[in-house]
Amino acid sequence: GGQVFAEANAGYGFDPFGLMLELHQRMQAQSAADKIVCVSNAQSDTSATSTWYQNALQNIATYFTSRGYKVLLGLSCYNSASGTDRTTVYNTLQTGLTNALASLGGDTKVFEGANLYALMGSTGPMSWTAALAGTGWLNSDGTHLNAQGALVAGSHWSEKIYAVIG
């Protein structure tokens, strides 16, 4: 399993829409001392096994590091709205992320990004109740971050980026 994520299969599961290629091409046009790719994924990957998720993250990281970029691997946030058990699927993704970081540990261009799943939680400001009351970090739909939530998430990511660029 997971072979479809190998770069040799570009267009057939690995970057089927050309998004990584497009990002690479646009970043090549920029001049900067450090070029960093931040991967904060999860919501669309909740059906993945931890091994598939690990393989995908490793291949994404390798794609960009082989082109000279620094890569931060993180995880998106989640909420426990509408009775859905997202903890189980996010724990699976957490395992994949942890294993990918461990496997890529020898690569000096790969860093741990913001793990919003761990940092923002699913209770308190991330709870469905807080979203409905308009007091949390989610819009009233209980799924998407509101402005305050986006600022919190952004601050977690900026700390990780700052640690890389100093």
Side-chain angles (χ1 to χ4, degrees), residues 27-84:
M27 287 180 69
Q28 287 300 301
Q30 305 302 313
S31 61
D34 286 303
K35 293 182 181 180
I36 300 172
V37 174
C38 298
V39 179
S40 182
N41 209 27
Q43 292 168 329
S44 61
D45 295 311
T46 56
S47 64
T49 67
S50 60
T51 302
W52 285 4
Y53 194 62
Q54 174 187 349
N55 289 340
L57 290 175
Q58 289 174 196
N59 283 305
I60 291 168
T62 301
Y63 177 88
F64 285 112
T65 59
S66 68
R67 288 158 175 79
Y69 303 105
K70 294 177 180 175
V71 177
L72 280 78
L73 297 177
L75 196 60
S76 182
C77 56
Y78 83 116
N79 69 322
S80 56
S82 60
T84 304

Side-chain angles (χ1 to χ4, degrees), residues 106-131:
D107 191 327
T108 60
K109 292 182 182 176
V110 177
F111 303 87
E112 182 178 357
N115 183 338
L116 300 179
Y117 166 59
L119 292 167
M120 295 178 75
S122 64
T123 60
M126 285 297 288
S127 72
W128 178 254
T129 306

Side-chain angles (χ1 to χ4, degrees), residues 31 51 68 101 104 116 124 130 136-137 141 144 146 152:
S31 61
T51 302
L101 287 167
L104 295 165
L116 300 179
W137 296 334
D141 65 4
H144 300 94
N146 60 22
V152 171

